[in-house]
Amino acid sequence: MVVFTCNGCGESLKKAQVDKHVNMCRGCQSLSCMDCGKDFWGDDYKNHVKCISEDQKYGGKGYEAKANKGDIKQQQWIQKVHDAMNKPGVSAKLKDVLQQVSSYDNVPRKRAKFQNWMRNSLQISNTGLHDEVWDILSAGDNPPQAPPETKEAKQTVAEVKAETNGDEKQNGNQDAEKKKKLNKRERKEARQQKTSKKTKTTDQEEDDSTEETEDQQVPKGKFNWKGNIKAVLKDADDQELPLKKLRKKVLAAYYTFTGDGNFRKEEEVLAIFNKKVTKNPKFRVLKERVRLIK
């Protein structure tokens, strides 16, 4: 992450904090990057989204940095943000959001994770605005259309389809003959096996949807609400925290754990958290504070 130093007051600033600081600090006429030492005047710092790594800084004269595919993709993604701001017809509100996005150098490139990031980092909960920003950023990701087929290519495709249809028809006739040869006993056994598999699947789905109890182990790949709430309270003084602070820490852990796999709405996630806190006898809620009961 790029960090700047104000040449007016000497304060260290993350990129997302610079705009607010510039408006407040009267002596802030230029900023310096803490990594590369370069000075930036006016709004020039906004284009400084990536700096040298520690290996480059301390690696010596003969050091050659290896190209990082992740960094390259991230820079291309940030460039998309800058290009989107200059597109004609972009509303002032949308342009302001894109300006906020451009101040970060760790912007997710997946839709679900990007929307969670906007909600948590930019404090924007408007899902419609999430979709609008994502649509304008991903507008250029559509694959190019294939060139029109030539007459010879179409003829070849038609021949292949004809051969395939002939093979499928022949296989279909063979399958029909096999089905006719099945006697009543074999059909009955097949139906019983199918019913047994369906029953097992239904039972498994019911087991998976059952709420965890204290003695149950949380299935692999599922977020452990009780365990995370308990861990946060254990680390707190007197094993007690304000409900709002506890919710913020646990939800941050939830979004980090689920990443792209989270498809729940924010209201659903809050409802689950509130249920886990109020319904578990290990947690006591009193006057907007939560205490861990031993």
Side-chain angles (χ1 to χ4, degrees), residues 14-17 19 45-46 49 78 81-82 98-107 122:
K14 294 181 180 179
K15 190 168 183 182
Q17 301 171 326
D19 285 342
Y45 70 89
K46 293 181 179 180
V49 296
I78 297 298
V81 178
H82 288 282
L98 291 170
Q99 182 67 47
Q100 295 181 54
V101 175
S102 69
S103 66
Y104 291 83
D105 57 1
N106 59 341
V107 183
L122 302 185

Side-chain angles (χ1 to χ4, degrees), residues 91-225:
S91 65
K93 183 177 181 180
L94 184 57
K95 187 173 292 187
D96 179 64
V97 175
L98 291 170
Q99 182 67 47
Q100 295 181 54
V101 175
S102 69
S103 66
Y104 291 83
D105 57 1
N106 59 341
V107 183
R109 301 190 297 276
K110 299 292 184 180
R111 186 186 187 104
K113 198 167 185 180
F114 177 81
Q115 292 176 336
N116 286 335
W117 176 83
M118 286 189 64
R119 184 185 297 108
N120 297 325
S121 296
L122 302 185
Q123 302 299 314
I124 297 176
S125 58
N126 186 341
T127 56
L129 190 56
H130 295 174
D131 295 335
E132 193 174 355
V133 174
W134 177 260
D135 290 342
I136 195 172
L137 292 181
S138 60
D141 292 340
N142 296 327
Q145 295 182 352
E149 294 181 348
T150 62
K151 184 177 180 180
E152 293 79 4
K154 289 182 179 179
Q155 184 176 0
T156 302
V157 171
E159 292 174 356
V160 172
K161 285 185 177 179
E163 293 178 1
T164 302
N165 292 336
D167 293 339
E168 290 179 350
K169 185 176 181 180
Q170 184 177 359
N171 292 335
N173 292 335
Q174 293 176 353
D175 291 340
E177 291 177 359
K178 289 181 181 179
K179 288 180 181 178
K180 290 179 181 179
K181 292 180 180 179
L182 285 174
N183 56 33
K184 293 182 179 180
R185 183 179 177 181
E186 290 173 333
R187 292 177 182 175
K188 184 177 180 181
E189 290 177 353
R191 286 196 298 269
Q192 289 176 344
Q193 290 177 357
K194 185 175 181 181
T195 302
S196 177
K197 288 181 180 179
K198 186 175 181 180
T199 302
K200 289 181 179 179
T201 302
T202 303
D203 293 340
Q204 184 64 37
E205 290 175 352
E206 291 176 355
D207 291 339
D208 290 342
S209 62
T210 303
E211 183 179 3
E212 314 114 26
T213 62
E214 285 189 19
D215 298 329
Q216 285 179 323
Q217 183 178 1
V218 178
K220 184 177 181 181
K222 189 172 182 180
F223 182 71
N224 188 347
W225 286 96

